[in-house]
Amino acid sequence: MITIFGSINMDLIATTDRLPKPGETVAGNGFATAAGGKGANQALAARRAGATVRLSGAVGNDSFAEPALALLDAAGTDLSTVKHVSEPTGTALILVGGDGENMIAVVPGANGTNTAEHATAAVAALNPGDTLILQLEIPVAAVETALGAAKAKGVRTVLNLAPLIPEAARLGRLADIVIANETEFERLAGQDNMSAAEREKALVRLHGETGQTLIVTLGGDGVIAIRDGEVSRAKGLVIEPVDTVGAGDTFCGYFAASLDQGMDFQASLRRAAVAGSLACLKPGAQPSIPVASEVAEKL
C-alpha cells in the first residue's frame, strides 16, 4: 500500500519555440490545461505502475477541483482523504520550450492548507511495511510531521526533494529514501557545481553519515543511487525529449510502486528510469505518464 501526501494542481501549459530570457516576451504556439501537482503526478504514476494508492491532499471548491482529480479517480486511486477547502485549487504556470525544457511557477492555493494535523491523519491508516511518499509543495510542518509519524509506525518513507526550498536539506535527513535531481542533491550535500566524481563521493559520504538510501536522477544520463553501502546506476531510454514536465514525478511513482510490489532495488531503478524517459515523449503533465504495459515493453 502506498500513500502519497502532497500537492494537487491544475497545470496551465504554454509552448514556445524557446524559453524567454528575464524580462523578455516570446510568442507562444500552443496552450493546454492538464491535471498536475507533484503529489497527484506521483500518485497517478504509482497507480499506473500497478500499486494500490491513496492520495491525501487538498483542492478548492472551484472549477479546477474536479478536473484536477479526474485522471486519478479514473485510474482507481483512493481519494477519500482529499479535502475540499475554501482556498482555490493549486495551479502551476508552465512554459515549455522547443527543446523540451521548461520553466514553472507554482501557486499553492489549497495545497497551503495542509497542516500537521492533516499529516497525522494521512499516516494514521498506514501499517508497518507500507510506503509514504512526500514532496515539498505542501507546508514544511505537514511534511515534517508526516515523516516523523510514519517512522514511528515502521512505515517506509520516500521524500522527493522538489521543489528546492530552504528547508530541503534538513527535511532530507528525515526520510528513509531520498530522491533528488542533480541540483537538489547539491543542496542536500552542501556543494555546488559537482562533477560526476564529486557527486559519487558526496553520495558515499552522506550515506555513511545517515544510512539513507539516496537516489539522484540525471536526466538523459539515467540515475545513480546508493543503498546498503553499494552504489548503483541505471539507464533510461535514448530519446529526443518533447516535454520533461512530469518525468521526475513519473520516476518517483514508478520506483516506489516497484519496491512496494516486491521488485529488487536495481530492477526498481531501471523500471523507474525507463518510465521517466517515456514520460518525456508526449506534451503535457499527467497524460504523458505511461502505464505499466508501455514500460514493460521497453525493459
Side-chain angles (χ1 to χ4, degrees), residues 3 24 29 41 101 127 142 147 162 164 169 180 198 208 240 249-250 259 284 290 294:
T3 289
E24 182 186 17
N29 52 39
N41 284 348
E101 288 301 319
N127 297 308
L147 286 168
L164 193 56
E198 289 172 332
E240 288 292 331
D249 294 332
T250 300
L259 288 184
E294 293 176 305

Side-chain angles (χ1 to χ4, degrees), residues 34 44 48 71 243-247 250 275-291 294:
L44 185 61
R48 286 185 173 176
L71 283 173
D243 184 354
T244 59
V245 173
T250 300
S277 298
L278 289 174
C280 297
L281 293 178
K282 293 184 287 184
Q286 286 189 335
S288 65
I289 294 174
V291 297
E294 293 176 305

Side-chain angles (χ1 to χ4, degrees), residues 9-54:
N9 291 337
M10 276 301 292
D11 293 347
L12 312 178
I13 307 162
T15 57
T16 63
D17 290 335
R18 63 175 179 82
L19 296 178
K21 298 176 182 178
E24 182 186 17
T25 299
V26 298
N29 52 39
F31 177 77
T33 62
K38 297 192 71 63
N41 284 348
Q42 292 178 19
L44 185 61
R47 183 72 192 111
R48 286 185 173 176
T52 301
V53 177
R54 177 189 296 116

Side-chain angles (χ1 to χ4, degrees), residues 19 95-103 241-244:
L19 296 178
L95 279 178
V96 181
D99 60 356
E101 288 301 319
N102 62 77
M103 299 170 63
V242 175
D243 184 354
T244 59

Side-chain angles (χ1 to χ4, degrees):
M1 174 68 182
I2 295 176
T3 289
I4 290 92
F5 182 33
S7 57
I8 304 167
N9 291 337
M10 276 301 292
D11 293 347
L12 312 178
I13 307 162
T15 57
T16 63
D17 290 335
R18 63 175 179 82
L19 296 178
K21 298 176 182 178
E24 182 186 17
T25 299
V26 298
N29 52 39
F31 177 77
T33 62
K38 297 192 71 63
N41 284 348
Q42 292 178 19
L44 185 61
R47 183 72 192 111
R48 286 185 173 176
T52 301
V53 177
R54 177 189 296 116
L55 175 63
S56 290
V59 294
N61 291 308
D62 56 17
S63 60
F64 280 162
E66 183 178 351
L69 297 173
L71 283 173
L72 292 154
D73 188 35
T77 311
D78 182 347
L79 303 175
S80 62
T81 55
V82 174
K83 60 181 182 176
H84 291 255
V85 300
S86 59
E87 295 290 324
T89 300
T91 54
L93 312 177
I94 303 171
L95 279 178
V96 181
D99 60 356
E101 288 301 319
N102 62 77
M103 299 170 63
I104 305 174
V106 177
V107 182
N111 296 310
T113 69
N114 287 296
T115 64
E117 289 76 16
H118 191 207
T120 301
V123 175
L126 292 173
N127 297 308
D130 287 344
T131 300
L132 175 69
I133 308 177
L134 299 126
Q135 320 78 32
L136 300 177
E137 284 186 339
I138 60 175
V140 168
V143 174
E144 189 167 7
T145 299
L147 286 168
K151 179 166 287 190
K153 294 189 71 172
V155 170
R156 176 169 52 204
T157 54
V158 180
L159 178 62
N160 177 211
L161 286 189
L164 193 56
I165 63 173
E167 297 87 354
R170 177 176 66 82
L171 293 171
R173 297 285 182 126
L174 305 179
D176 298 317
I177 301 171
V178 176
I179 302 175
N181 65 21
E182 297 163 88
T183 303
E184 294 154 1
F185 180 71
E186 288 178 355
R187 172 69 63 85
L188 185 67
Q191 181 181 345
D192 295 331
N193 302 314
M194 288 183 180
S195 66
E198 289 172 332
R199 185 184 305 116
E200 183 170 344
K201 184 176 180 180
L203 265 178
V204 173
R205 173 178 61 81
L206 287 175
H207 179 67
E209 293 173 0
T210 68
Q212 295 169 292
T213 297
L214 303 172
I215 301 170
V216 184
T217 58
L218 306 172
D221 292 327
V223 58
I224 184 171
I226 186 166
R227 184 190 192 200
D228 295 334
E230 183 177 351
V231 175
S232 301
R233 293 175 175 80
K235 289 288 188 182
L237 303 175
V238 178
I239 62 167
E240 288 292 331
V242 175
D243 184 354
T244 59
V245 173
D249 294 332
T250 300
F251 177 92
C252 292
Y254 261 83
F255 173 76
S258 299
L259 288 184
D260 188 68
Q261 292 162 342
M263 296 179 66
D264 66 43
F265 185 71
Q266 187 63 43
S268 297
L269 284 180
R270 170 62 177 166
R271 186 183 187 218
V274 169
S277 298
L278 289 174
C280 297
L281 293 178
K282 293 184 287 184
Q286 286 189 335
S288 65
I289 294 174
V291 297
S293 60
E294 293 176 305
V295 177
E297 290 176 358
K298 301 296 182 180
L299 288 174

